[in-house]
Amino acid sequence: MSDYIKPQPGIMDIALYEGGAAHVAGLTDAVKLSSNENPFGPSDRAKEAFSRAVHRLNRYPNTDHAALRDAIGEAHGLDPARIICGVGSDEIIHFLCQAYAGPRDEVVFTEHGFLMYRISAMAAGAAPVAVPERERTTDVDAILAACGKKTKLVFLANPNNPTGTMIGLAEVERLAKALPKQAILVLDGAYAEYVEGYDGGADLATRLPNVFMTRTFSKIYGLGGLRIGWGYGPRAIIDVLNRIRGPFNLSNAQLEAAEAAVRDQDHVTRCRDENTRMRAWLAEALAEKGVPSDTSTANFILARFADEADATACDDYLRAEGLIVRRVSGYGLPHCLRITVGDESSCRRVAHAIGRFKAQGKAAP
C-alpha cells in the first residue's frame, strides 16, 4: 500500500472480531455449539416468507421498513415510529457510536461485554472504557464511577454475553437515572427473549429520554444467517440514526422473513421452554462433573475450568470428539468455555464428553 494512503487514526489498533468456529478439520458431522444459534432454526412461517421473496429479487426493498416495524410494535406493544431496523443489532450499535461518539469521547461497557462495543467505539474514534464486573456480573456502581464528562454511550448487555448473567430492571433504572446528562444507556437485549416475562428494557426506553434498546432476530428467532436486528428508543435518537442508515440496508427477503418470524410467537415460546429445560440440565450435568457455571439466563452456559490450560485441553478434547464450543480468552475469560445450549442430543453428548475429559485427568498419574 502507498505510504500516502492511510486509514483514520486508531483503525489499525482494532483487533479483528473472531466468530465461533464452525468446522473441525477432517470431520463433516461436527456439532456446532460455538455461536449461540437456535438449534431448532426459524419458524415454518419465516421459512415460507423467505421462499416467497425469491420471486421479487429484482425489486428494491422499501426504505422505511414499515411492515416489519409494525409487526415488531404489535408483538411487543411498542410504537413503530420509535423503531429502527438494521443488519443485525451490530449495525444499530455501530450507528449509535457513529452518531454520538467521536474523538475525545468515551464509550463505557463492562469488562466481559460484547466485543462489538469496543470495535464500534474505536471505529468512531472514541475511547473504549472497560469497567470491572463483580463475579462476572454487571456492577452498576463501578459503571457510574467510570462515567464522566467525556462519557457519551454506556453499553449494557442484559443478559450478558458471554457470561449469561443479568441484573434486575430496578438496578438498570438506577444506572440510567444516575448517568451524566449527555450519556445514553444502550440496553443490548440480544438474549432478552430467553427470559420469560422480561421486556429487555423496553419500558425504560419508553419512559426515559436517555435509554435505548437493541434486539436481534439472530438468536431465539433462528435467523442468524439473514442478519436482522432492531432498536427502540426516544424518537429524537431514532431520527438521528435514520439519517446515517443506508436506505436499502435490509433486503426484501430479510424484511419478510423477520416479519413472519415476529408474528409467530408460539415458536418463540416453544424455543424458550426447551432452552430453559436443557440449560438447567446441562448446567447440573457439568457441575456434577466438577465444571461450575454461573446461573445463565441466555441460551448458553459459561463453563469454568481450573485454569487456561485446563480449558484449552478440554476444548481440544471436544474438537477431537466432533464438538465445537467457544474459547473466550478474547473476553478476558481464558479459563472458560462458552457452550451453546443445543438440542437434547447435543447437550447430552457434550456433557458426556466433558465427563470423560475430567475422568481422564483424574486418572492421570
Side-chain angles (χ1 to χ4, degrees):
M1 180 181 289
S2 167
D3 291 339
Y4 298 98
I5 300 175
K6 299 180 183 295
Q8 288 292 322
I11 296 296
M12 297 308 295
D13 296 327
I14 297 174
L16 291 174
Y17 180 90
E18 293 185 21
H23 306 285
V24 176
L27 295 178
T28 57
D29 59 348
V31 176
K32 185 185 177 189
L33 300 172
S34 58
S35 296
N36 302 338
E37 296 154 331
N38 184 341
F40 307 107
S43 74
D44 289 340
R45 290 170 64 177
K47 289 187 279 190
E48 289 166 6
F50 181 78
S51 297
R52 289 194 301 270
V54 74
H55 301 294
R56 296 192 298 111
L57 294 181
N58 59 317
R59 302 299 181 189
Y60 280 101
N62 67 50
T63 62
D64 63 6
H65 309 152
L68 177 55
R69 290 189 294 106
D70 285 345
I72 292 170
E74 180 181 325
H76 297 282
L78 303 175
D79 179 1
R82 297 176 62 170
I83 294 172
I84 183 173
C85 300
V87 183
S89 53
D90 301 10
E91 187 175 41
I92 309 297
I93 290 166
H94 193 75
F95 288 161
L96 287 160
C97 289
Q98 184 181 356
Y100 289 101
R104 297 178 297 281
D105 294 331
E106 293 180 347
V107 174
V108 174
F109 47 86
T110 64
E111 63 178 321
H112 304 310
F114 185 35
L115 293 176
M116 286 307 300
Y117 306 151
R118 176 182 294 275
I119 290 173
S120 293
M122 294 178 70
V129 178
V131 177
E133 297 177 7
R134 181 184 295 135
E135 295 296 319
R136 297 164 300 281
T137 302
T138 295
D139 184 337
V140 167
D141 291 318
I143 292 176
L144 291 173
C147 293
K149 293 181 179 179
K150 294 181 179 180
T151 306
K152 292 297 181 68
L153 293 164
V154 176
F155 285 102
L156 173 60
N158 202 42
N160 188 38
N161 170 31
T163 64
T165 59
M166 70 180 294
I167 59 173
L169 284 172
E171 276 291 272
V172 177
E173 184 165 0
R174 180 170 76 87
L175 171 61
K177 290 182 174 179
L179 286 178
K181 60 183 180 181
Q182 79 283 352
I184 300 170
L185 174 61
V186 182
L187 301 177
D188 182 345
Y191 299 92
E193 287 88 355
Y194 287 103
V195 184
E196 187 171 3
Y198 175 53
D199 72 352
D203 177 63
L204 293 177
T206 299
R207 293 190 287 111
L208 302 180
N210 66 332
V211 177
F212 192 91
M213 176 184 72
T214 64
R215 302 285 278 271
T216 185
F217 283 90
S218 295
K219 303 305 178 186
I220 207 164
Y221 288 103
L223 292 173
L226 281 186
R227 310 302 302 123
I228 312 147
W230 57 281
Y232 171 79
R235 288 195 184 200
I237 295 178
I238 294 295
D239 177 63
V240 169
L241 301 186
N242 272 323
R243 292 171 186 272
I244 58 176
R245 176 180 64 83
F248 303 110
N249 62 324
L250 291 179
S251 68
N252 283 321
Q254 289 170 294
L255 292 168
E256 292 169 24
E259 181 185 348
V262 79
R263 292 192 185 280
D264 191 351
Q265 288 298 308
D266 288 342
H267 180 72
V268 172
T269 299
R270 287 192 297 271
C271 292
R272 178 174 54 243
D273 289 348
E274 186 62 9
N275 179 79
T276 299
R277 182 177 77 89
M278 291 314 304
R279 182 180 63 202
W281 182 90
L282 181 59
E284 183 177 352
L286 295 185
E288 290 174 352
K289 294 167 174 50
V291 181
S293 60
D294 297 312
T295 299
S296 174
T297 52
N299 68 335
F300 56 84
I301 285 172
L302 186 69
R304 300 198 306 275
F305 294 81
D307 50 35
E308 182 176 5
D310 195 32
T312 300
C314 184
D315 183 49
D316 290 340
Y317 183 89
L318 293 176
R319 283 172 178 263
E321 295 290 313
L323 295 162
I324 309 172
V325 299
R326 180 76 183 268
R327 295 186 190 181
V328 283
S329 353
Y331 283 96
L333 295 161
H335 63 298
C336 298
L337 296 176
R338 193 189 69 190
I339 305 171
T340 301
V341 177
D343 59 18
E344 183 165 353
S345 173
S346 299
C347 288
R348 291 186 179 278
R349 184 174 164 187
V350 75
H352 185 59
I354 290 175
R356 289 201 310 271
F357 168 78
K358 297 295 286 185
Q360 181 185 75
K362 289 179 182 178

